[in-house]
Amino acid sequence: MARADASPIRTSIVGAVIFTAVSACMPYYVEDEPGGNLATHLQRAAYAEADGIPIRVTGTCKSACTTYLKSKTTCAGPDAEFWFHAPTPDTQATRLALLSSYPAHIRDWIKRSGGLTSDWMILKGEEMRRLVPQCDRLG
């Protein structure tokens, strides 16, 4: 009886280990992402980076989605665009959290481009390719 009870547990553990191993190898694809909750996106980027999971961005990556730029595993496809704006609500704490989530060269670009406002600021084309690692170069 004890042996029969242990079998499903062992299968679940083996299944979880296999799933984790496969998940760690597979990229996280971000395509035409409208954004959303800042904390959720920051957490996803941190988990992906900690596990070495590549984040591949194609199409538009708006608002909180841009925080994926924090991860060293993030790369952009040739058509990727990163759309930035001030956080909502725009408090000192949320602005600091958002800006500190970006690498220094992205913060510099934001500053040079006039800073975060309620209007969209778009990083795309040649400028995006210069500032964001390209997926075709990362393999």
Side-chain angles (χ1 to χ4, degrees), residues 86-99:
T88 306
D90 190 4
T91 66
Q92 184 176 4
T94 56
R95 185 173 283 260
L96 181 60
L98 181 59
L99 287 171

Side-chain angles (χ1 to χ4, degrees), residues 14-110:
V14 169
V17 170
I18 290 170
F19 176 76
T20 302
V22 169
S23 297
C25 299
M26 300 186 69
Y28 176 59
Y29 289 93
V30 178
E31 182 175 19
D32 297 326
E33 163 69 52
N37 183 277
L38 179 60
T40 300
H41 283 78
L42 288 170
Q43 187 176 45
R44 285 181 192 156
Y47 286 151
E49 186 165 29
D51 291 342
I53 299 170
I55 300 172
R56 302 195 179 282
V57 178
T58 60
T60 58
C61 176
K62 295 180 177 179
S63 194
C65 175
T66 60
T67 60
Y68 291 131
L69 292 168
K70 174 184 182 129
S71 174
K72 291 181 173 95
T73 66
T74 297
C75 66
D79 67 335
E81 295 181 356
F82 295 87
W83 294 42
F84 301 81
H85 67 85
T88 306
D90 190 4
T91 66
Q92 184 176 4
T94 56
R95 185 173 283 260
L96 181 60
L98 181 59
L99 287 171
S100 66
S101 74
Y102 300 127
H105 67 284
I106 297 295
R107 286 193 307 269
D108 290 344
W109 175 82
I110 289 170

